[in-house]
Amino acid sequence: MTNNKIEELCTLHTNLSEVDIEIIKSLAANLFLIADLNKANVFVDCLTKEGKHAIVVAEASPTTAKSIYSKPIVGKFAYDVFEPSVLSSLKTGKPIFLNRALTQEGRTVNQSVVPIKNNRDKVIGTLIMEKDISEQLKTQEKMEALSEATETLSEILVGITQNRPIIPEMLEESLFLIDDRGRIVYCNPSASNLIQETYADGHWVDRMLIEFFPEINSILEDPEDLLIKELTILNRFFQVKKIRLSMKESEYGFFVILKNITELREKERELIVKSVAIREIHHRVKNNLQTVASLLRLQMRRGLPEESKIHFEESLNRITSIAAVYEIILSNSTVDDVDLYQLIEKIGNELVKESGVDKNISLSYSGPNIQIKSNKAVTVALVVNELVQNCVKHAFKTIESGEIEVQLQQMDSQIIVQVIDNGEGYSPPSKSSLGLDIVRTLIEHDLSGQFKIHKAENGTVASVVFPI
């Protein structure tokens, strides 16, 4: 991987500075040593400009072990839904070790991720190590199934020889013992009931299993001694396990377990449908809010009395702040969580852009990425809108330039949002302020939190504290 390629990808797809890119390039020079030492594939991923996913800017395959990738993946994107550890480490700055993930080529791997930071302690990328565990998982699954089958078979044989009730009689799974010709030797009550649900006579003794369930013929004919597959049988979903049985070095037959997972698959389908429906609702809400905002802008362009204009602007800002919540929801992989830092940044930038104030006001943000539910996010959006708007309009009346900083913190089970300016300083209004009344009401009733605003040594500090 050449330094030119790394620089090209970082410049095109990320917001990294030249100094940060040099740090990435310096680390990438040692990737092959790291890969050989750990017998694993290693990568460097960086967050894209949009902040929604990451991009692979450097990689190294080990010469001391087989690579888990058949093709280079530099330049490919890593999405949150497949590699949540990467995105989480990029956003929180926390390392994650031995997390299970799905690679670009669909392999299951153990993935460890550590953040890469610059000299200002800011996360600029992640160093990722991946080891293939696909075969390990298959072996583990086979051993679990074989252990289960062996224990159950032992219980069956002991129960039959001692002529007493046996544990398989009480199991919900359908258990079949068939000989090497495929004829049923034994089945528990659950298996017998499954046959009787479809066939009136229900007689299974010395009959072929595939007479009742032809769908499992391919599993029985498969040469694998142990096989686990999911099949649709009788319009239902079943997990089917087959174990080949040998007694005294001769083939005896198979042990077959059918587990009905129809309810599980139906719930999964319902969740997918529900998720799509919720996302569509959010999309329509966002569009409706944007339509209302457009109508307000149209009315403002056609002319308004000067005393009404400020009220239209405030209403417009409140609407666009709520719309920002739904924009972020739709850009995420989850349908009910909002990144609070991303939301505050979006609202603040829009406010300064749309304020129309002829002053040099800069806005900065600090704090971790915190996920909150969408219903709380709407309230926080309105609160931040009012506080930043208040700073823009009132903090710099006699000052030509100023700074507003929005700080986000998480302490134990509380979230703290502070809006700090270096303006003229807060003075309690002579009459009630609608904006601050809105802030207090929203914080106390919707967030069960507290609000404080006071004059600082240089400017004003407004603090919001509410439980997660």
Side-chain angles (χ1 to χ4, degrees):
M1 174 52 53
T2 64
N3 283 341
N4 289 340
K5 184 65 174 178
I6 296 173
E7 188 167 350
E8 177 188 335
L9 289 171
C10 289
T11 304
L12 182 62
H13 296 285
T14 76
N15 290 320
L16 296 179
S17 66
E18 291 182 6
V19 175
D20 292 339
I21 295 174
E22 288 301 318
I23 295 174
I24 298 294
K25 288 159 63 175
S26 175
L27 176 63
N30 298 307
L31 285 190
F32 286 102
L33 290 174
I34 299 172
D36 283 346
L37 180 63
N38 292 281
K39 297 183 178 181
N41 289 69
V42 292
F43 314 90
V44 175
D45 284 16
C46 297
L47 197 65
T48 59
K49 292 178 179 179
E50 301 82 5
K52 299 176 185 177
H53 42 262
I55 184 168
V56 184
V57 299
E59 69 174 329
S61 301
T63 59
T64 52
K66 185 178 179 181
S67 173
I68 59 177
Y69 290 90
S70 59
K71 298 178 181 178
I73 64 168
V74 165
K76 293 188 178 294
F77 294 104
Y79 296 97
D80 192 15
V81 68
F82 296 116
E83 299 187 63
S85 299
V86 175
L87 274 297
S88 175
S89 186
L90 281 168
K91 293 178 180 179
T92 65
K94 296 180 180 178
I96 299 173
F97 298 100
L98 299 178
N99 187 63
R100 192 165 294 179
L102 197 65
T103 70
Q104 299 274 355
E105 296 181 359
R107 289 175 177 266
T108 303
V109 296
N110 264 347
Q111 184 185 74
S112 295
V113 186
V114 293
I116 304 168
K117 298 183 179 181
N118 60 17
N119 54 10
R120 299 188 309 278
D121 204 37
K122 178 184 176 183
V123 177
I124 60 174
T126 53
L127 178 65
I128 304 157
M129 182 176 73
E130 293 181 350
K131 288 189 176 183
D132 188 8
I133 58 169
S134 300
E135 292 303 319
Q136 178 184 332
L137 288 177
K138 286 181 182 177
T139 303
Q140 181 180 337
E141 194 175 48
K142 285 185 176 182
M143 290 303 295
E144 288 174 356
L146 185 59
S147 175
E148 177 186 338
T150 303
E151 289 177 10
T152 307
L153 181 58
S154 299
E155 291 160 359
I156 290 172
L157 297 176
V158 170
I160 291 173
T161 56
Q162 296 183 1
N163 194 26
R164 59 176 173 80
I166 50 179
I167 291 176
E169 303 292 313
M170 299 177 285
L171 295 180
E172 293 183 0
E173 288 85 354
S174 300
L175 310 177
F176 296 92
L177 180 61
I178 61 176
D179 62 19
D180 56 353
R181 296 176 299 167
R183 298 184 182 277
I184 302 172
V185 176
Y186 166 85
C187 66
N188 70 345
S190 177
S192 180
N193 291 339
L194 185 63
I195 292 174
Q196 291 177 359
E197 285 178 21
T198 310
Y199 300 92
D201 59 20
H203 296 303
W204 52 264
V205 177
D206 208 32
R207 292 180 65 177
M208 302 289 288
L209 183 61
I210 60 173
E211 288 183 44
F212 303 107
F213 311 114
E215 296 88 349
I216 68 171
N217 189 48
S218 59
I219 293 179
L220 297 179
E221 291 182 346
D222 194 289
E224 285 284 333
D225 290 343
L226 176 62
L227 197 61
I228 304 172
K229 279 191 177 181
E230 191 173 309
L231 294 177
T232 302
I233 302 173
L234 306 175
N235 296 320
R236 284 175 285 179
F237 296 101
F238 286 88
Q239 182 191 65
V240 182
K241 298 179 184 178
K242 179 203 76 172
I243 301 96
R244 187 185 300 276
L245 304 175
S246 299
M247 298 185 71
K248 295 182 179 179
E249 300 182 356
S250 63
E251 293 296 322
Y252 181 76
F254 302 97
F255 196 59
V256 180
I257 307 171
L258 272 66
K259 183 178 181 180
N260 191 338
I261 57 172
T262 305
E263 185 177 353
L264 175 63
R265 292 292 173 261
E266 286 296 324
K267 287 187 182 297
E268 288 177 352
R269 187 186 65 81
E270 289 172 8
L271 284 174
I272 292 171
V273 172
K274 182 180 178 182
S275 176
V276 172
I278 292 173
R279 189 170 289 275
E280 178 62 23
I281 291 169
H282 287 158
H283 184 73
R284 293 186 183 186
V285 170
K286 184 204 74 169
N287 287 347
N288 289 340
L289 289 170
Q290 289 179 338
T291 300
V292 173
S294 298
L295 291 173
L296 284 176
R297 290 192 183 97
L298 181 62
Q299 183 64 53
M300 292 168 68
R301 283 197 294 269
R302 296 186 67 177
L304 289 170
E306 196 62 33
E307 63 272 15
S308 300
K309 186 175 180 182
I310 188 171
H311 301 302
F312 268 77
E313 288 176 350
E314 289 175 350
S315 298
L316 177 60
N317 288 335
R318 288 165 188 151
I319 291 169
T320 53
S321 294
I322 299 172
V325 176
Y326 292 96
E327 283 186 29
I328 292 173
I329 290 173
L330 291 168
S331 68
N332 291 342
S333 57
T334 55
V335 295
D336 198 34
D337 290 330
V338 175
D339 187 317
L340 192 53
Y341 184 96
Q342 185 182 358
L343 173 64
I344 290 173
E345 187 177 33
K346 185 175 183 63
I347 292 170
N349 291 342
E350 285 294 324
L351 277 174
V352 173
K353 178 181 174 183
E354 300 288 340
S355 66
V357 177
D358 188 21
K359 294 181 184 292
N360 183 21
I361 299 174
S362 64
L363 196 58
S364 62
Y365 313 90
S366 63
N369 295 89
I370 302 172
Q371 298 289 327
I372 63 173
K373 295 300 179 183
S374 58
N375 59 336
K376 281 192 174 184
V378 170
T379 302
V380 175
L382 288 169
V383 168
V384 171
N385 169 79
E386 297 297 332
L387 294 177
V388 175
Q389 187 171 246
N390 200 52
C391 291
V392 172
K393 291 190 174 181
H394 304 297
F396 311 105
K397 286 183 178 179
T398 61
I399 304 174
E400 290 302 315
S401 63
E403 297 177 359
I404 303 171
E405 182 181 4
V406 184
Q407 295 181 353
L408 178 63
Q409 302 176 57
Q410 181 176 340
M411 296 181 64
D412 298 327
S413 60
Q414 290 187 319
I415 293 175
I416 303 171
V417 182
Q418 289 187 313
V419 180
I420 306 169
D421 68 67
N422 64 347
E424 299 172 6
Y426 173 73
S427 297
S430 55
K431 60 179 182 178
S432 178
S433 165
L434 176 62
L436 292 182
D437 286 345
I438 290 174
V439 168
R440 286 192 178 91
T441 302
L442 289 172
I443 293 170
E444 292 174 5
H445 293 280
D446 290 3
L447 296 177
S448 300
Q450 297 176 329
F451 172 65
K452 293 180 181 179
I453 183 169
H454 64 273
K455 185 174 182 177
E457 183 177 343
N458 184 21
T460 302
V461 177
S463 300
V464 178
V465 181
F466 62 95
I468 294 175

